[in-house]
Amino acid sequence: MDGQSRNTVADRERAGALLPAERRQRVFEVILARHTVAVTELADLFAVSAMTIRRDLQALEEQGLVEAVHGGARSSMQSPFELSFAQRELVDVDAKRAIGRLAASLVADGETVALDASTTTVQVARNLVSRRRATVVTNGIKSAAELGHRPGIDVIVTGGQLHQTASLVGPFARATIEQLRVDWLFFSVTGITDELMLTGPSEFDAEIKAAMISIARRVVLVADSGKFSRGSYVRVAPLAAVHDIVTDDRLTADWLDKIESRGIRLHLAAAGF
């Protein structure tokens, strides 16, 4: 997305001219980041009336995303790890879409691709549909559904135990992955720590990501800038296991230096902010 497009989005937000769905998404992201926010604060931030914000909060509450409190709302989740797949798809969706487009552009016709079960790699899958030929291996139910009916794209689903994150995990999934070799792996994580460790929410998830890393000729981390300097429960792999990173253009200068100094190829997507 070019600078003019980014400015248009920002100008609409400052002028209170966001479409209702766009505004609700951004309201949700603010609440998720701050946990509790007042109606008046949100009204000022988005340049709309308090009544408009109350309607937005009611809609978000009906989706189970927020809880009403006196004078405002709070996140109904204690942390991002508690979000359902559908709810996580709403978080930083503009950045994820931009990252997905840029990441998919790295793949040539006829190559083999592994995708993990993250919401960001679903965006990669959606942008692989233009390939005339490709083979995709995934443990993600959503990515498989996105690609399974596309002509010229062969989809291999790992099998395994269905996890609540719409992913297939466990020994069967790992064994299937370990029998294969792919040109590209696109995967995401919950956080990248300041100590340069990739982290995830569970041992099940980490096991599958590690297996995918081991079979890929080129390992690509797809993660929005908000995941940097964030940790999680389980170590997945050191950042040194990654060849490329596709993220958005809000990444801090400190992280830009860290990544480039380690010889990792960095691709910055214009996220529309």
Side-chain angles (χ1 to χ4, degrees):
M1 187 178 292
D2 59 24
Q4 182 178 0
S5 298
R6 292 198 301 274
N7 289 340
T8 299
V9 173
D11 290 344
R12 289 211 316 272
E13 186 163 329
R14 284 193 294 270
L18 284 173
L19 296 173
E22 292 176 321
R23 186 182 59 251
R24 281 194 291 271
Q25 177 191 309
R26 283 167 169 73
V27 167
F28 171 60
E29 291 173 359
V30 170
I31 295 171
L32 188 64
R34 304 183 189 179
H35 192 61
T36 302
V37 187
V39 167
T40 53
E41 184 179 359
L42 290 169
D44 289 343
L45 181 62
F46 292 96
V48 295
S49 69
M51 182 60 69
T52 296
I53 291 296
R54 290 191 186 96
R55 285 196 296 266
D56 289 342
L57 295 178
Q58 182 178 358
L60 292 170
E61 187 173 26
E62 288 171 356
Q63 296 177 59
L65 299 174
V66 304
E67 297 174 354
V69 297
H70 182 69
R74 67 184 178 192
S75 171
S76 60
M77 289 72 65
Q78 294 301 310
S79 75
F81 319 130
E82 298 175 37
L83 297 169
S84 72
F85 191 95
Q87 291 165 341
R88 285 187 289 119
E89 279 195 296
L90 295 173
V91 179
D92 233 348
V93 67
D94 288 337
K96 290 176 181 177
R97 287 171 179 160
I99 290 166
R101 285 192 296 270
L102 183 55
S105 72
L106 302 175
V107 179
D109 281 330
E111 290 190 309
T112 54
V113 177
L115 301 174
D116 76 347
S118 67
T119 57
T120 308
T121 51
V122 170
Q123 297 295 338
V124 179
R126 287 173 178 161
N127 286 279
L128 288 174
V129 297
S130 61
R131 299 298 174 275
R132 290 190 295 271
R133 291 181 300 108
T135 299
V136 177
V137 180
T138 185
N139 72 317
I141 299 298
K142 192 71 178 287
S143 289
E146 291 284 342
L147 295 170
H149 62 292
R150 302 289 181 173
I153 299 181
D154 296 323
V155 179
I156 299 171
V157 181
T158 62
Q161 179 183 351
L162 180 61
H163 194 258
Q164 62 186 13
T165 56
S167 61
L168 296 166
V169 298
F172 192 94
R174 185 187 69 245
T176 300
I177 293 164
E178 289 173 346
Q179 295 178 50
L180 304 172
R181 292 294 181 269
V182 297
D183 295 308
W184 296 93
L185 164 63
F186 297 94
F187 77 110
S188 195
V189 292
T190 303
I192 305 100
T193 70
D194 289 330
E195 294 73 38
L196 308 182
M197 183 61 62
L198 307 176
T199 62
S202 72
E203 292 179 0
F204 301 110
D205 176 79
E207 178 184 45
I208 297 303
K209 292 185 198 299
M212 286 183 164
I213 289 170
S214 73
I215 68 164
R217 180 176 60 85
R218 197 84 186 172
V219 177
V220 185
L221 175 67
V222 289
D224 64 79
S225 57
K227 292 185 176 180
F228 290 80
S229 294
R230 178 195 292 180
S232 187
Y233 302 117
V234 181
R235 292 186 175 188
V236 174
L239 187 63
V242 170
H243 301 112
D244 297 67
I245 295 174
V246 185
T247 187
D248 62 80
D249 54 6
R250 298 169 296 170
L251 192 66
T252 66
D254 181 49
W255 270 105
L256 289 171
D257 291 341
K258 283 182 180 181
I259 292 166
E260 292 175 347
S261 68
R262 284 160 178 81
I264 299 171
R265 190 177 176 191
L266 183 62
H267 312 261
L268 294 178
F273 294 89

